[in-house]
Amino acid sequence: MSLGIMSAMPEEINSVLNAMTSVSSAVHGNRTFYKGLLYKKPVVLVFSNWGKVAAATTATQLIQSFNIKKLIFTGVAGALQEHLNIGDVVVGKHLYQHDMDARPLYEQFEIPIIKKKFFKTDVSLTKELVKASEAYLQAIPNNLSHTLSSEFGITNPKVFTGGIASGDQFISSIEKIEQFNKNLPDVLCVEMEGAAVAQVCFDYKVCFAIMRTLSDKAKANASIDFQKFAKQVASTYALGILEKILM
Ligand code: ADE
């Protein structure tokens, strides 16, 4: 049984793909699915594109066409809390769709019909991901060049577990951060895909876990940090953490 690996960052996909062997590819619905071995374990890797719809269709195809029973999402996110720093890793425990609002029919954030405000990740796969992320970050001085660490201020990166919020918005203002902190105080970071994939995995009974490397602080300069970070750091993290989980 293969592990499904999804990312919304082409940089991450490329670094994982470069480490894969016995690769074959198949195109479905504008996505390329790479089947092969990663550290000798069977995986199917796919770039999800950005946003909840793209992530949901990709996850559905991955599950349906490749018989995936476990899925890991790797990517970057914007930090929503002061104690978090660029280069820290958040492993998700519960995933909100922060732009879901069917009031007055349902409470804010509640997914209609199924009556859930958030989706929980799989407990044991999440534990494995936390362990792998911690092991990777402990060895970070060997994995990240000194120039990059100082450029992004990554000195002592840590792993956090908690809430992740997904929505079809790139967050880059203090006002928005304050809203998140008020309405969803247990959410550590924001991104654009995770909770959509979590909903698909819930519907198909697939074990789901997610790690996000913090690329920015969701403030005015978030887009600058984000692009640089994606190119120079995110891919190293994704591959390094997957190596720890698969070896
Ligand atoms: N992914 C990385 N940073 C983000 C941000 N600030 N908002 C939404 N998604 C992100």
Side-chain angles (χ1 to χ4, degrees):
M1 201 76 67
S2 299
L3 170 71
I5 303 169
M6 282 178 73
S7 175
M9 303 303 298
E11 293 84 357
E12 290 189 344
I13 294 291
N14 289 339
S15 77
V16 176
L17 186 56
N18 283 337
M20 282 171 65
T21 55
S22 311
V23 181
S24 62
S25 67
V27 177
H28 301 280
N30 270 342
R31 305 286 185 282
T32 306
F33 296 79
Y34 299 99
K35 202 172 163 194
L37 300 175
L38 181 63
Y39 304 110
K40 302 198 172 116
K41 304 281 167 42
V43 300
V44 182
L45 172 74
V46 62
F47 170 52
S48 66
N49 278 2
W50 287 17
K52 301 204 311 299
V53 173
T57 59
T58 311
T60 308
Q61 186 83 50
L62 181 61
I63 292 166
Q64 289 285 72
S65 297
F66 298 92
N67 194 25
I68 295 298
K69 297 284 182 245
K70 284 185 182 181
L71 198 163
I72 292 181
F73 197 105
T74 76
V76 296
L80 291 176
Q81 298 194 6
E82 278 305 320
H83 66 285
L84 302 172
N85 286 307
I86 291 180
D88 287 344
V89 167
V90 172
V91 177
K93 281 192 153 175
H94 37 278
L95 282 287
Y96 294 89
Q97 293 177 15
H98 68 77
D99 49 1
M100 176 57 77
D101 191 351
R103 286 178 292 179
L105 303 176
Y106 292 89
E107 283 182 36
Q108 192 179 12
F109 311 121
E110 188 172 330
I111 312 292
I113 318 295
I114 59 173
K115 299 195 170 161
K116 277 182 173 295
K117 274 204 176 169
F118 55 81
F119 296 95
K120 287 187 187 162
T121 54
D122 180 74
V123 174
S124 91
L125 194 56
T126 297
K127 262 192 199 150
E128 283 180 52
L129 200 49
V130 171
K131 220 172 123 195
S133 304
E134 283 173 348
Y136 175 73
L137 288 190
Q138 262 169 23
I140 198 91
N142 309 327
N143 298 320
L144 213 59
S145 76
H146 181 68
T147 330
L148 280 183
S149 321
S150 53
E151 182 174 356
F152 289 100
I154 305 173
T155 46
N156 180 22
K158 296 188 180 62
V159 180
F160 294 87
T161 58
I164 295 179
S166 315
D168 290 325
Q169 289 167 8
F170 188 83
I171 303 300
S172 55
S173 81
I174 289 178
E175 293 73 32
K176 287 265 173 159
I177 295 177
E178 282 169 356
Q179 268 176 26
F180 275 103
N181 290 341
K182 181 165 162 262
N183 296 331
L184 293 171
D186 58 340
V187 164
L188 300 175
C189 64
V190 65
E191 38 85 313
M192 300 175 70
E193 297 82 20
V197 179
Q199 183 170 357
V200 172
C201 288
F202 169 77
D203 282 341
Y204 285 89
K205 299 187 174 50
V206 165
C207 298
F208 172 66
I210 178 167
M211 65 71 83
R212 291 282 187 173
T213 307
L214 299 180
S215 55
D216 57 81
K217 294 197 169 186
K219 293 181 182 161
N221 65 349
S223 61
I224 303 166
D225 298 347
F226 169 78
Q227 276 163 2
K228 249 203 245 168
F229 189 90
K231 259 203 196 130
Q232 300 175 26
V233 187
S235 48
T236 323
Y237 268 60
L239 184 61
I241 291 171
L242 286 169
E243 178 182 359
K244 299 276 180 214
I245 223 169
L246 291 167
M247 291 285 264

